[in-house]
Amino acid sequence: AQSVTQLGSHVSVSEGALVLLRCNYSSSVPPYLFWYVQYPNQGLQLLLKYTSAATLVKGINGFEAEFKKSETSFHLTKPSAHMSDAAEYFCAVSGGGFKTIFGAGTRLFVKA
Amino acid sequence: GAVVSQHPSWVICKSGTSVKIECRSLDFQATTMFWYRQFPKQSLMLMATSNEGSKATYEQGVEKDKFLINHASLTLSTLTVTSAHPEDSSFYICSASEGINEKLFFGSGTQLSVL
């Protein structure tokens, strides 16, 4: 079985500051991990995914995430926030089969 | 928090039959619902966006006549897979929100297996 926890329902950063969105997972099998972004009134877009290759995964728009098995974490980071990064971010885990479990989401606010 | 109920969670059907999947928002009015599908080890793929009272907007490459979406009320959207074939076997998940800038909530998904 899989589960995922996103720490912090809201995160606020200043433009140009580091973005860190936290995600911890549990999985009884080697996990596939995803980060998705949702902009207002749009469907999810895939930011990046981990599929047991390199532990540091680079995604679109300057985001990256590091898979840390010992910490069961897959935190999302971006060195410098931009106003256009303001959105809702979802972490998700899959056991490689059909079902995907989503975190509750983290709303990112970017202050000018 | 808000809950989105998706039913059934698992269905097996024969090739050529149709399957209906329901997505209900239990404690809020969902003006917009999204339908996704996912194949094993892959990410979600948006199929369509459904707005209450209007026709769904399908993503490129998704067959409208194959995947019928109805959003007849503010709490219910349905996805019907018509004349299902084995290649339609997949994980289907819906999500819903009250509107622009409102939080997105997910159903628990439906695993469809077509024999």
Side-chain angles (χ1 to χ4, degrees), chain A residues 38-69:
Chain A
Q38 187 219 358
Y39 297 103
N41 212 37
Q42 296 182 27
L44 293 179
Q45 295 178 33
L46 179 67
L47 275 178
L48 49 83
K49 65 179 179 180
Y50 167 78
T51 57
S52 78
T55 56
L56 182 61
V57 182
K58 294 187 182 298
I60 61 172
N61 301 336
F63 284 93
E64 61 182 37
E66 186 173 9
F67 172 69
K68 291 187 177 181
K69 184 177 180 180

Side-chain angles (χ1 to χ4, degrees), chain A residues 3-85:
Chain A
S3 68
V4 60
T5 302
Q6 288 184 244
L7 299 176
S9 58
H10 297 84
V11 170
S12 181
V13 301
S14 298
E15 193 172 20
L18 171 72
V19 175
L20 171 60
L21 304 181
R22 299 178 187 274
C23 173
N24 287 90
Y25 71 93
S26 69
S27 179
S28 55
V29 297
Y32 290 77
L33 294 158
F34 307 84
W35 274 101
Y36 293 90
V37 61
Q38 187 219 358
Y39 297 103
N41 212 37
Q42 296 182 27
L44 293 179
Q45 295 178 33
L46 179 67
L47 275 178
L48 49 83
K49 65 179 179 180
Y50 167 78
T51 57
S52 78
T55 56
L56 182 61
V57 182
K58 294 187 182 298
I60 61 172
N61 301 336
F63 284 93
E64 61 182 37
E66 186 173 9
F67 172 69
K68 291 187 177 181
K69 184 177 180 180
S70 60
E71 299 177 7
T72 60
S73 68
F74 190 58
H75 301 330
L76 181 71
T77 61
K78 181 173 180 177
S80 177
H82 192 273
M83 296 297 287
S84 61
D85 295 326

Side-chain angles (χ1 to χ4, degrees), chain A residues 36 40 44 88 99-100 102 104, chain B residues 36 38 44 91 101 103 108:
Chain A
Y36 293 90
L44 293 179
E88 185 100 17
K99 193 169 179 65
T100 292
F102 285 86
Chain B
Y36 304 86
Q38 181 185 27
L44 290 180
F91 182 70
N101 282 323
K103 191 169 179 62
S108 56

Side-chain angles (χ1 to χ4, degrees), chain B:
Chain B
V3 176
V4 172
S5 173
Q6 188 173 340
H7 179 80
S9 58
W10 181 73
V11 59
I12 298 175
C13 69
K14 293 182 178 180
S15 185
T17 62
S18 295
V19 174
K20 180 182 285 188
I21 302 170
E22 292 188 349
C23 182
R24 293 181 183 272
S25 57
L26 297 186
D27 56 0
F28 68 101
Q29 293 185 324
T31 58
T32 303
M33 288 188 175
F34 302 93
W35 286 95
Y36 304 86
R37 69 183 299 185
Q38 181 185 27
F39 294 104
K41 304 181 182 180
Q42 297 185 24
S43 60
L44 290 180
M45 180 189 78
L46 178 64
M47 299 175 67
T49 302
S50 168
N51 292 297
E52 186 268 337
S54 61
K55 290 183 178 180
T57 301
Y58 289 81
E59 294 299 302
Q60 190 174 7
V62 178
E63 300 175 59
K64 300 178 184 180
D65 296 332
K66 175 76 172 176
F67 299 100
L68 300 178
I69 292 173
N70 184 284
H71 194 161
S73 76
L74 285 171
T75 59
L76 175 64
S77 177
T78 60
L79 167 67
T80 301
V81 183
T82 63
S83 187
H85 289 91
E87 58 265 29
D88 299 324
S89 298
S90 185
F91 182 70
Y92 295 86
I93 192 166
C94 69
S95 64
S97 69
E98 289 182 273
I100 297 174
N101 282 323
E102 295 298 325
K103 191 169 179 62
L104 191 68
F105 297 94
F106 291 92
S108 56
T110 298
Q111 182 178 330
L112 171 63
S113 296
V114 184
L115 304 178

